[in-house]
Amino acid sequence: MNYLAHLYFAKPDKFSLAGNLMGDFTKGVDLSLLPEPVVNGIHNHRVIDKYTDRHHLVRELKQLLTPKRKRFSAVISDVVFDHFLVCHWDKFSVQSFAEFRQHSYRELSLVLDIMPERMRLTVDRMISQDWLSSYQNIDHTGKAIDSISKRIRFENNLSGAIDEVLTHYDQYESVFLEFFPQLQKFMINNSTE
């Protein structure tokens, strides 16, 4: 899952929100120096990623992609699932998306000082450019995938992958709507927080 989904599964406090995002930014970080709720959030992030990456529905999406993009299937579905989470937010939360988004930004801004530098820069841009709202638009979701392509340190064919997603948009949405409730149930019993 990508940023929005990880925030969704966090507790609504600054340390949990930061930890649930920090799972992608721990290289070189001494976890023993972080507050326990942040470390718990990092572990929560990893549990979600492991479950998602191994789930048969998510893995089947790989077959929809051309050979040059299949190796990036997990990255593509992670970002596209954030799009569908925004689109179907009312099915999964009683809190409005606007309230959730503003609360998350506010809480994260309180703990920028405990974040690794790369994460701090990312979260700063996320807040100032309102990335969570941008997932509502599939074109912006495609730009998020293209941005990931630029950060990959080797030559890749990830950029432009949204065109393949659009070809199979209904299938991606259908998989998300079947998969996400299963992830919710799994996290009720397996959250590390």
Side-chain angles (χ1 to χ4, degrees):
M1 304 305 286
N2 205 39
Y3 298 132
L4 177 59
H6 283 297
L7 292 172
Y8 172 88
F9 284 108
K11 290 182 178 179
D13 68 77
K14 60 188 179 186
F15 291 124
S16 178
L17 289 162
N20 274 273
L21 281 187
M22 201 177 291
D24 289 330
F25 299 93
T26 56
K27 186 174 182 179
V29 174
D30 184 351
L31 299 185
S32 69
L33 300 176
L34 295 171
E36 185 178 350
V38 174
V39 175
N40 291 341
I42 292 168
H43 292 304
N44 209 47
H45 178 113
R46 292 174 178 166
V47 167
I48 291 165
D49 281 356
K50 188 175 180 180
Y51 179 83
T52 302
D53 291 346
R54 293 181 176 181
H55 198 283
H56 70 96
L57 288 171
V58 177
R59 292 171 69 94
E60 287 170 11
L61 289 172
K62 187 175 191 175
Q63 301 313 311
L64 301 177
L65 299 171
T66 57
K68 70 179 183 178
R69 294 214 171 94
K70 284 186 181 205
R71 78 181 286 190
F72 301 105
S73 180
V75 173
I76 293 166
S77 60
D78 282 355
V79 178
V80 171
F81 283 179
D82 271 4
H83 165 70
F84 290 120
L85 181 53
V86 175
C87 291
H88 297 284
W89 185 263
D90 293 344
K91 290 181 174 137
F92 302 110
S93 179
V94 293
Q95 182 182 33
S96 76
F97 179 66
E99 290 170 354
F100 174 86
R101 190 179 83 245
Q102 291 307 317
H103 174 79
S104 297
Y105 289 160
R106 188 171 47 254
E107 292 294 303
L108 288 168
S109 69
L110 297 173
V111 287
L112 289 169
D113 60 321
I114 68 163
M115 297 177 188
E117 182 180 358
R118 190 169 65 89
M119 179 183 177
R120 189 177 327 114
L121 294 171
T122 299
V123 170
D124 223 12
R125 284 194 306 269
M126 178 192 297
I127 295 169
S128 66
Q129 298 171 13
D130 193 11
W131 287 2
L132 300 182
S133 281
S134 72
Y135 286 120
Q136 295 174 83
N137 181 300
I138 194 65
D139 293 330
H140 289 279
T141 305
K143 289 176 185 173
I145 294 171
D146 292 349
S147 178
I148 293 169
S149 171
K150 292 174 189 171
R151 292 194 307 268
I152 295 174
R153 293 188 177 134
F154 57 86
E155 191 172 325
N156 64 80
N157 295 310
L158 182 57
S159 184
I162 201 66
D163 294 333
E164 292 186 33
V165 171
L166 288 170
T167 301
H168 305 286
Y169 186 89
D170 292 343
Q171 288 147 300
Y172 272 90
E173 184 174 33
S174 177
V175 166
F176 171 79
L177 290 171
E178 186 175 350
F179 164 74
F180 200 75
Q182 293 178 35
L183 176 58
Q184 285 178 302
K185 288 177 186 172
F186 176 79
M187 290 309 294
I188 288 169
N189 298 317
N190 294 282
S191 176
T192 58
E193 296 187 282

